[in-house]
Amino acid sequence: MRRISRGPVRGISFKLQEEERERRDNYVPEFSALDTSAIEIDPDTKDLLKALNFENLPGVQVTNPVAANADARHRRPRKVDA
């Protein structure tokens, strides 16, 4: 059915293509990606919001940023060209 998403395909009925489009159009996710009941921000973003006079927004929680891959021992050594 992936080929149908790109456009009409020879050998597949229009009815089947239409059913596939309807199925995709009627999909409702379990959780909304736009849910704004709790928004996590870092301290720098909080300072920015404060500077813009938006420090009292409901549902905003400040969290400490987590360093991604801060441990250098797990990295591969750099390749040195000779």
Side-chain angles (χ1 to χ4, degrees):
M1 291 299 146
R2 184 171 285 170
R3 288 176 54 200
I4 293 175
S5 65
R6 296 186 190 134
V9 179
R10 275 185 71 152
I12 296 179
S13 70
F14 288 114
K15 182 179 178 184
L16 184 59
Q17 291 180 32
E18 188 63 32
E19 287 174 0
E20 182 67 19
R21 279 191 209 101
E22 284 289 323
R23 187 184 65 77
R24 277 188 269 117
D25 290 342
N26 293 333
Y27 173 73
V28 177
E30 203 170 316
F31 301 103
S32 173
L34 304 176
D35 182 22
T36 58
S37 60
I39 301 172
E40 294 181 358
I41 60 172
D42 63 345
D44 293 335
T45 306
K46 180 179 166 84
D47 294 339
L48 174 69
L49 290 174
K50 189 173 183 178
L52 296 171
N53 295 324
F54 285 107
E55 64 265 9
N56 294 326
L57 292 174
V60 175
Q61 301 171 353
V62 179
T63 59
N64 290 328
V66 178
N69 204 6
D71 193 5
R73 289 179 290 166
H74 296 294
R75 291 185 181 170
R76 285 189 297 179
R78 290 188 178 181
K79 194 175 195 179
V80 179
D81 293 331

